[in-house]
């Protein structure tokens, strides 16, 4: 793989990861409502889900999904429905006060699985890799699939690092918020609204 192409891809990947989107909002929401470990667990799940999309892009499965309006819609609305379900869980939570340590650490595994599902059920991610990876492949070097896998691995690693840093920052911000009992009682509502916004963003996005 050409080093200049790899570095160019890394720069583009960092900018795209930092851009406001469902994944980074999801990580921020978990970090604020619980703690940085919750955000990192979520980030690990999201990045595990990226493996599915990277593999799909390399094998051409993403192209099949994109070509089929029905398949694309099924995956897209399934993802939106799952996020609306998470929003409903937050809205119905009757906890009188949310603190950074109010939820059990056993929930980290659940957050990891949520991250995998959220990433996997977002078809826009597969289409993103399908469109982006080939642009940074050196066709003269051959081994196109291996180059795409390498680029996908670069994207995954930088995303995990950035999401983890965002989790630490968001946790500090969340700690400041939860010092106020009035704000702390509204954290579930805020998180529910974030899930709702992300769900609508996915549901009404166009290919």
């Amino acid at each position: 793989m050409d080093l200049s192409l790899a570095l160019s891809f890394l720069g583009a990947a960092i900018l795209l990861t930092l851009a406001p989107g469902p994944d980074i909002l999801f990580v921020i929401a978990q970090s604020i409502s619980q703690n940085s470990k919750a955000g990192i667990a979520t980030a690990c799940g999201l990045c595990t889900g990226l493996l599915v999309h990277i593999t799909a892009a390399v094998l051409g499965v993403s192209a099949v999904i994109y070509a089929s309006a029905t398949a694309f819609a099924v995956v897209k609305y399934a993802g939106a429905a799952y996020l609306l379900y998470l929003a409903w869980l937050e809205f119905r939570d009757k906890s009188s006060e949310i603190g950074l340590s109010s939820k059990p650490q056993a929930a980290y595994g659940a957050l990891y699985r949520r991250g995998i599902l959220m990433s996997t059920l977002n078809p826009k991610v597969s289409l993103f890799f399908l469109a982006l990876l080939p642009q940074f492949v050196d066709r003269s070097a051959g081994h196109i699939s291996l180059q795409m896998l390498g680029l996908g691995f670069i994207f995954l690693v930088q995303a995990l690092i950035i999401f983890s840093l965002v989790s630490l920052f968001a946790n500090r911000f969340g700690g400041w918020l939860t010092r106020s009992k009035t704000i702390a009682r509204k954290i579930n509502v805020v998180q529910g609204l974030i899930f709702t916004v992300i769900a609508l963003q996915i549901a009404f996005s166009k290919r």
Side-chain angles (χ1 to χ4, degrees):
M1 182 188 302
D2 184 76
L3 180 59
S4 62
L5 279 176
L7 292 176
S8 297
F9 176 79
L10 177 60
I14 291 173
L15 291 176
L16 289 167
T17 302
L18 288 172
D23 289 353
I24 201 165
L25 288 176
F26 192 34
V27 170
I28 290 172
Q30 301 308 317
S31 299
I32 290 178
S33 64
Q34 297 194 48
N35 52 45
S36 59
K37 291 182 180 179
I40 293 173
T42 301
C44 288
L46 290 169
C47 290
T48 300
L50 289 181
L51 291 173
V52 176
H53 296 293
I54 293 169
T55 303
V58 172
L59 296 178
V61 177
S62 298
V64 175
I65 294 177
Y66 186 76
S68 172
T70 301
F72 182 86
V74 167
V75 177
K76 181 175 71 171
Y77 291 124
Y82 177 67
L83 286 167
L84 289 175
Y85 168 71
L86 295 181
W88 176 72
L89 291 180
E90 294 297 331
F91 288 138
R92 71 189 291 268
D93 193 330
K94 301 301 182 180
S95 300
S96 60
E97 184 174 335
I98 305 297
L100 291 177
S101 61
S102 63
K103 295 186 179 181
Q105 292 188 1
Y108 296 156
L111 289 174
Y112 174 74
R113 291 189 291 273
R114 284 185 182 183
I116 294 176
L117 279 174
M118 179 180 169
S119 179
T120 303
L121 292 175
N122 185 356
K124 300 292 286 187
V125 179
S126 277
L127 302 183
F128 161 76
F129 280 115
L130 182 65
L132 183 69
L133 295 184
Q135 306 304 316
F136 293 88
V137 167
D138 183 3
R139 298 185 183 279
S140 65
H143 304 291
I144 304 299
S145 295
L146 289 178
Q147 288 189 62
M148 290 178 65
L149 281 174
L151 292 171
F153 180 74
I154 290 173
F155 189 95
L156 189 155
V157 171
Q158 66 82 33
L160 181 59
I161 292 172
I162 289 177
F163 285 158
S164 297
L165 293 174
V166 167
S167 297
L168 295 173
F169 177 80
N171 177 239
R172 289 178 177 273
F173 181 67
W176 175 77
L177 285 178
T178 52
R179 290 192 186 99
S180 168
K181 291 186 177 181
T182 301
I183 296 177
R185 293 189 183 102
K186 303 299 181 181
I187 292 294
N188 282 344
V189 175
V190 172
Q191 184 161 272
L193 289 173
I194 290 175
F195 284 140
T196 302
V197 169
I198 296 173
L200 294 176
Q201 183 181 14
I202 292 176
F204 292 102
S205 62
K206 297 181 179 179
R207 290 193 287 179

